[in-house]
Structure formats: C-alpha cells, structure tokens
Amino acid sequence: MSGSQVATLASVQIFLDRQHGLYIDGGQQAAQSEKRLTIYNPATGEPIATTADASTADVDKAVMSAWKAFVARTWAGRLPAERERILLRFADLVEQHTEELAQLETLEQGKSIHISRAFEVGCTLNWMRYTAGLATKITGSTLDVSIPMPEGARYQAWTRKEPVGVVAGIVPWNFPLMIGMWKVMPALASGCSIVIKPSETTPLTLLRVAELATEAGIPDGVFNVVTGSGSECGTALTSHPQVAKVSFTGSTATGKQIARSAADRLTRVTLELGGKNPAIVLKDADPQWVIEGLMTGSFLNQGQVCAASSRIYIEAPLFDNLVSGFEQAVKSLNVGPGMSETANINPLVSRAHCDKVQAFLQEAQQNNAELLSGNAGPGGNGYYVAPTLVVNPDASLRLNREEVFGPVVNLVRVADGEEALRLANDTEYGLTASVWTRDLSHALSYSDRLQAGTVWINSHTLIDANLPFGGMKQSGTGRDFGPDWLDGWCETKSVCVRY
C-alpha cells in the first residue's frame, strides 16, 4: 500500500490486461462481433480494460449452450445434495478470492474498497450459502382430490417443483457482483441454466466469477456470461425464444420494455425496479439513531442503491435539530477514490450518470432550493458529486419525484406523521420505506399503511437473505430471497394417479 491507497494486486492487473471475450460453454470464447466496450475507472476517468460487445449471434450461441445443457440434464439431473455441495464449493472459491474480486469491483464501479469487501463479497457469500442450502429443500404437496368418476375410483395427487429452464439475468451497475449472484444462485440451486448479462459499464467481476463456477464443478453451458450493450445484447437475450424466465434489476422504464417483450411469449419475469424511498421520522425518534441510520440509508454506495432513503419527512419539533445534525455529518465525509481506505464518499459509476445527477442539483439551484453540500472531492476527471442535502425542496422539482440515484437526499418538514404518510405514499414507486420512532404502536401503525415492499423500523437499506425483497406499484413484480425464493425459478407440476 502507498499511504491510505490500496495497492492493486498483480492478479487483478493481469485480469484487467486480458483480451476479454464471452464466457460460454465453460470457457472464454472470442465474440463474433468485433466491437469492444471500454471499461473506465470512475475515480480517474481513465480506461482500465475492454470487453466484447456481443451481437445477437453471440447471444444466441450463449443461450443455445445453456439450453443444450438444460436438456441434457447435466446439472438439473444431479442429486440436490450434489448441487448443494458444488454451490458451497463455489462460495468457498469466491471467498478465497475476496480481495481480488473486491478490487475489480472498486476499480470498475468506483465504490469504496471497504464496501466491496464487506458487501460485494462478504454479503454475497451469505446469499450464496443460503441459496445453496435451498437446493435440498425444494418441496411439493400431497393433495386430497374429489374426482367423482368413474364410480368407485380412487386417486392420489401431488405437486412437484421442476426448474423452469434457461434463465436470462440482467444485472445493473450499482452492485454487479452481489446482484449478479442474486440471479445466478437461485437459478443454479433450482436446476436451471443461466445466461447473465452484466451492465456494459461493470462487466468484469461476473466474468471472473464465471471462471470460479467452472472450477467449482458447475458443468459447461450451465453458467454463461455475455457482455454488451443493452440495445442489442440485452434485447437479444431477453427476447430469445429459448429463454423461459427473465430476472431483471434496473430502471422502471427498461423493466416495462422487458415486460412487454415477455408478454408476447408469456415468458416469466421477475422485475426489481426503481424506488423513490421515503423515511418518516416522528418527533419521539432517537436523533442519534436517525442520523446514523439514515446517513447509511441515504449515502451508502454514493446513494446508488435502489432501496436508498431519498426523501426524509421529519415532524416539525425535531426538524431543525436533525437538519443541523445531518449537515454536520455530511460535511464531515471524506470524498475520494474507492481504493482510498479513508474516503467515505466515492465517485459515481460513469460520466453520463455523474452528469445526470448534477443536472438534478443544477435545476434545484436555479429554483433557489436550499442545498447543504459536503466536500466536492478531488479535481481531475473523476466522476464526483458532493454529498448534498436538499432542505424543503419545492414540490415542482424533479428530484422530489424522480429517482436521482446519487448522494442527494431531501429533508422535508411536516406538521405531523399523517402528513408524512400522505407524502410518503404519493409516488408511483413502492420499493422500500422506513419509520423512526420509539413508540411501538406508531411503528406498527405506519408500517401497515406505507405502500412499500419492505418497511424498516429504526433502520433503512440493510437487507438479509432470509427476508423477501421486492417492490409494489412501479417498483417491480415478484420477490427475491427468503425460504420460498426458488418458487420463482420453478414450475409447479400436478400429478394425479388413479388406482
């Protein structure tokens, strides 16, 4: 290490310098497309690697590899306990490469190396091992039926779960490894094959993890990775006739396009989409808990979190005190590269996204909004946005209703909790929300009435493999995680026997 800067591992640099192809049928393969994608370091704006920009023909090759493996039952036909053991070995290999994967994630995405180690790898391991265990816990039901014909006949009936087939996984750029494994692991645990497409901005960690999957013993063709643009590669993947299920995490607009395409073929879809997530702070809340919890809830990964708290409604008696506390906390944050061990806020993922977030703030400034900003960060070509509080923004501002997905949070004074609840639910989104109070009755009352797939009490953003997660309204359909997770990756077959 040099000072507080983490030194890049030699294995990471070797991986960056590769001529990356696609991962199909158990190994790296050159793409038919000659186009390349350039991967940039958000801390500097400098290129660090290139990957293939897959064509429709490349995607077809990957899907057919997955389809052939599924039909041959090289994975689905294995004993559940064997699948579980291989998936646990896969998790062990990921753990052995923690620092390598964390550095790749930070260099391509920009987030803190601490977050890459703790969340992208550490938390991912929890999900991997949890899901591996589900492979041996797929169950059906025995059923009493009342079929009256022919007279005197007897019947036994039951249901069984069978893997749906080839899965297409579309992964966003904010948590490429972790969200990628939220698609890979349930697909593999249930016996499916998968073709996964990371964001064109952050494809490196999933390419490396695919190699570890093969090393762990996952058969060729069962886990494939295609890299490329959403317009060609993503569209070709989600509309492929051999894809039985699409699991997508990303924007609501793109999710709607995928849903429309899937409807034509009745392809199953799970959509985890955008959020404009509220937090309600009641006057009896613990100020220290609120500031500590909502600083994490709002600024984790620079606010590039679908579940982040971006609208904080505070009852009037506590408002001025909390604004002062949040301002002090925001201005104390160190801003710098993700590979710096002392930086609390890091660059955004890309120049385009940085410009988008800055546009929200510029519009607010032009409309005389009160902005309380922290440190601006290093100069140069990095993609930095200062962490910013927007105090009582005018209702006409876009940042009141649209997902900013950056280090920007609104602090809004409300007369009482009922006004906060009305404003919190006044959105087309319904992903997450939180309530901050010491009163159990208030906590339960507001959590019941908030229109969100996940509601926290005195916490925000932190999730667990055993806690189902997904959105209401335009924040998506379906649920991930929890003991019933694999139901969404299986078909239910009814069997009825006359005897």
Side-chain angles (χ1 to χ4, degrees):
M1 293 185 188
S2 174
S4 63
Q5 192 85 1
V6 176
T8 303
L9 294 174
S11 61
V12 170
Q13 192 58 55
I14 290 169
F15 189 82
L16 293 175
D17 292 340
R18 279 197 207 170
Q19 181 77 1
H20 292 285
L22 309 173
Y23 201 85
I24 299 174
D25 208 25
Q28 285 275 340
Q29 296 192 14
Q32 297 179 46
S33 168
E34 295 182 357
K35 295 184 294 182
R36 304 288 295 175
L37 297 170
T38 301
I39 312 305
Y40 295 91
N41 181 347
T44 64
E46 297 296 320
I48 56 172
T50 68
T51 60
D53 187 357
S55 66
T56 299
D58 289 317
V59 171
D60 181 67
K61 184 177 181 181
V63 173
M64 294 313 296
S65 172
W67 170 247
K68 290 173 185 175
F70 180 73
V71 171
R73 295 183 60 77
T74 57
W75 180 247
R78 299 207 178 183
L79 295 174
E82 186 179 3
R83 290 204 304 270
E84 180 185 48
R85 283 194 296 271
I86 292 172
L87 292 176
L88 289 172
R89 191 181 308 139
F90 181 23
D92 290 343
L93 285 170
V94 169
E95 186 169 32
Q96 290 169 25
H97 291 80
T98 291
E99 184 63 16
E100 177 187 346
L101 292 167
Q103 289 194 16
L104 283 172
E105 193 78 350
T106 289
L107 290 169
E108 69 174 345
Q109 201 276 338
K111 64 167 59 73
S112 166
I113 188 66
H114 299 300
I115 299 298
S116 290
R117 291 166 179 159
F119 283 80
E120 289 286 10
V121 185
C123 288
T124 293
L125 289 169
N126 292 340
W127 264 274
M128 291 183 74
R129 290 171 174 139
Y130 178 91
T131 319
L134 296 180
T136 55
K137 298 166 186 66
I138 299 171
T139 61
S141 303
T142 57
L143 306 167
D144 284 336
V145 294
S146 301
I147 300 172
M149 296 181 294
E151 186 176 351
R154 303 282 300 277
Y155 293 88
Q156 290 279 355
W158 62 88
T159 62
R160 55 175 283 110
K161 301 286 186 180
E162 298 180 352
V164 68
V166 176
V167 174
I170 308 294
V171 180
W173 46 254
N174 58 331
F175 287 95
L177 175 58
M178 186 162 66
I179 296 178
M181 299 314 293
W182 292 349
K183 302 181 187 310
V184 169
M185 290 301 293
L188 298 185
S190 60
C192 298
S193 299
I194 189 167
V195 180
I196 198 147
K197 191 198 93 65
S199 165
E200 54 263 50
T201 311
T202 55
L204 299 176
T205 45
L206 282 176
L207 285 170
R208 180 68 182 103
V209 162
E211 296 175 342
L212 299 179
T214 298
E215 185 179 341
I218 293 170
D220 296 350
V222 172
F223 180 2
N224 307 275
V225 181
V226 291
T227 59
S229 68
S231 57
E232 181 172 359
C233 177
T235 299
L237 180 56
T238 56
S239 62
H240 197 285
Q242 294 296 351
V243 166
K245 174 184 172 72
V246 177
S247 176
F248 171 80
T249 301
S251 73
T252 296
T254 303
K256 289 178 178 179
Q257 292 175 1
I258 289 172
R260 281 191 286 267
S261 172
D264 288 338
R265 293 170 291 110
L266 295 180
T267 302
R268 287 138 189 80
V269 292
T270 300
L271 304 173
E272 197 266 276
L273 308 178
K276 189 65 180 172
N277 308 300
I280 295 175
V281 181
L282 301 179
K283 60 187 177 184
D284 69 332
D286 183 320
Q288 183 177 346
W289 278 33
V290 171
I291 292 171
E292 176 189 80
L294 287 178
M295 285 295 294
T296 298
S298 301
F299 294 108
L300 178 71
N301 195 25
Q302 295 62 256
Q304 298 169 128
V305 181
C306 59
S309 46
S310 58
R311 300 178 290 144
I312 303 176
Y313 298 105
I314 306 169
E315 279 197 293
L318 211 54
F319 184 78
D320 291 337
N321 181 37
L322 283 183
V323 170
S324 177
F326 276 118
E327 181 180 14
Q328 183 178 351
V330 162
K331 291 186 174 179
S332 72
L333 296 173
N334 294 321
V335 181
M339 293 291 273
S340 166
E341 293 202 308
T342 59
N344 312 113
I345 293 288
N346 313 111
L348 300 188
V349 69
S350 67
R351 170 57 58 196
H353 187 59
C354 183
D355 291 345
K356 178 183 175 183
V357 173
Q358 291 283 22
F360 279 102
L361 293 174
Q362 289 165 5
E363 178 186 302
Q365 284 180 316
Q366 291 165 2
N367 285 272
N368 301 314
E370 181 182 357
L371 305 182
L372 303 176
S373 297
N375 298 316
N381 296 318
Y383 313 141
Y384 293 95
V385 173
T388 302
L389 306 170
V390 187
V391 182
N392 289 320
D394 187 88
S396 64
L397 292 177
R398 286 191 304 131
L399 57 71
N400 264 323
R401 306 198 70 82
E402 296 182 23
E403 187 176 37
V404 177
F405 221 63
V408 178
V409 61
N410 301 347
L411 303 179
V412 180
R413 182 196 301 267
V414 293
D416 54 34
E418 291 302 311
E419 182 186 6
L421 180 68
R422 177 178 59 79
L423 293 171
N425 285 336
D426 184 20
T427 175
E428 63 185 9
Y429 298 111
L431 189 58
T432 72
S434 62
V435 181
W436 299 78
T437 178
R438 294 185 239 205
D439 186 308
L440 178 60
S441 177
H442 283 152
L444 296 179
S445 173
Y446 284 95
S447 66
D448 286 348
R449 292 184 289 162
L450 277 162
Q451 298 165 1
T454 299
V455 178
W456 290 278
I457 309 297
N458 297 325
S459 178
H460 199 114
T461 300
L462 304 177
I463 55 179
D464 184 82
N466 204 37
L467 188 67
F469 185 81
M472 296 180 178
K473 298 192 278 189
Q474 296 199 37
S475 286
T477 61
R479 292 293 182 271
D480 287 315
F481 317 157
D484 300 322
W485 193 1
L486 299 192
D487 287 356
W489 308 76
C490 294
E491 296 281 16
T492 299
K493 176 179 286 184
S494 296
V495 180
C496 186
V497 178
R498 179 190 171 189
Y499 64 96

